Amino acid sequence: MVIYYTHSYGNRKGESHRLLQLAIARYLTENGYRGDAAETESAALTASLRTEGEYGKPVIPGFAPFSISHSNDTWAVLIAESGDGAERCGLDIQYRRNTSAVSVAKRFYAPEDAEMVSEAMAGGGEGAAEDVFFRLWARREALVKAAGGSVAGTDFPAVNGDAAVFRDTEYILADVKIPGTGLYAAVCSDGTQIPVRTPELLYYE
């Protein structure tokens, strides 16, 4: 799997779509397309972007599974590469911010995950609790995106381990390192492994 990211995201109208097209062109170039062929094919693929399911999971017919996430000025897309064995994947990125970590975790997280946040609070205070909270939040939302669910649900399994079963499907989860102070990132897949590359997608508008 590969993650393309940029720290130049301004959340302007149509910007995410343009970044996706740029990322797909980069992906196609790295997979054998030459010259303008990658840009032409990328434009055609992104033009066919649609959503599926109750919660609007984005898909591109005929293209690899992918997942988009953005937080503050960072935008990123995860694309499943051939050999990953994935039909579904999810990516989430989160910048750390002040939050009621313990109370929110008790409301939404699986009991095991909520207990981890509470233990971090008891052992290291708010900073430690928020660190655990956002790491688990990124994992939880990556699972949501892979499965096509809603982040507001309360029926999610614990996500701290390497795998989780949700709606009769086993998913694997992993934390990902993307440069950015206070940035948490996680990926999820129904494949058999998560080898992740994270090249920067240079972008200026």
Side-chain angles (χ1 to χ4, degrees), residues 76-168:
V77 60
L78 170 72
I79 301 177
E81 298 179 282
S82 60
D84 291 335
E87 295 183 4
R88 302 177 183 181
C89 65
L91 164 71
D92 188 59
I93 61 175
Q94 295 283 337
Y95 275 99
R96 185 168 174 167
R97 57 190 183 277
N98 293 330
T99 187
S100 302
V102 173
S103 62
V104 174
K106 286 182 177 179
R107 181 179 178 186
F108 290 106
Y109 286 11
E112 303 97 307
D113 291 345
E115 182 61 25
M116 287 186 64
V117 178
S118 295
E119 289 177 355
M121 174 68 83
E126 287 187 8
E130 289 175 358
D131 185 57
V132 174
F133 176 88
F134 282 109
R135 174 178 172 268
L136 294 176
W137 185 271
R139 284 172 155 253
R140 188 174 182 275
E141 192 151 342
L143 174 60
V144 168
K145 291 181 177 180
S150 168
V151 72
T154 57
D155 60 337
F156 288 93
V159 295
N160 186 53
D162 295 332
V165 176
F166 181 54
R167 296 177 182 169
D168 299 321

